[in-house]
């Protein structure tokens, strides 16, 4: 049981880092949008809404799920920024 718990902790940390990196990858699109090469705004908006729901879920669970919460917070902000900068 203890070995499984350690594995789950490591897996949660890795998944959190990967999720944050996924949303940080919006930065080049934001830069392109600001330079007039607009991308589609729908995907980042839907991603931001999805991340918001996951954050609410993780925070209000009986036992807060911090890896899920922390993994999705950047997606809210970067998704909204990407969406806003893609509008023209």
């Amino acid at each position: 049981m203890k070995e499984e718990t350690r594995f789950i902790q490591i897996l949660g940390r890795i998944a959190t880092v990967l999720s944050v990196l996924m949303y940080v990858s919006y930065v080049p699109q934001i830069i392109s949008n600001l330079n007039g090469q607009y991308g589609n705004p729908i995907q980042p908006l839907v991603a931001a809404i999805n991340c918001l729901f996951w954050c609410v879920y993780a925070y209000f669970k009986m036992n807060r799920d911090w890896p899920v919460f922390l993994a999705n917070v950047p997606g809210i902000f970067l998704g909204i920024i990407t969406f806003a900068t893609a509008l023209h």
Side-chain angles (χ1 to χ4, degrees):
M1 182 73 169
K2 193 171 191 169
E3 184 177 319
E4 180 180 338
T5 302
R6 176 92 172 119
F7 171 75
I8 294 299
Q9 287 177 340
I10 292 169
L11 185 63
R13 289 180 183 138
I14 292 170
T16 299
V17 169
L18 290 172
S19 182
V20 169
L21 290 173
M22 178 175 60
Y23 294 117
V24 168
S25 72
Y26 278 142
V27 172
Q29 183 60 49
I30 293 168
I31 293 168
S32 292
N33 290 341
L34 292 173
N35 288 323
Q37 299 171 348
Y38 301 104
N40 188 327
I42 300 301
Q43 194 277 336
L45 176 63
V46 173
I49 294 168
N50 180 51
C51 290
L52 176 65
F53 274 77
W54 277 112
C55 283
V56 170
Y57 164 80
Y59 186 81
F60 289 105
K61 268 180 66 171
M62 181 78 68
N63 295 317
R64 290 190 174 126
D65 194 340
W66 291 112
V68 171
F69 182 84
L70 294 172
N72 285 282
V73 168
I76 296 170
F77 296 105
L78 291 169
I80 289 170
I81 291 168
T82 306
F83 168 76
T85 60
L87 298 176
H88 49 88

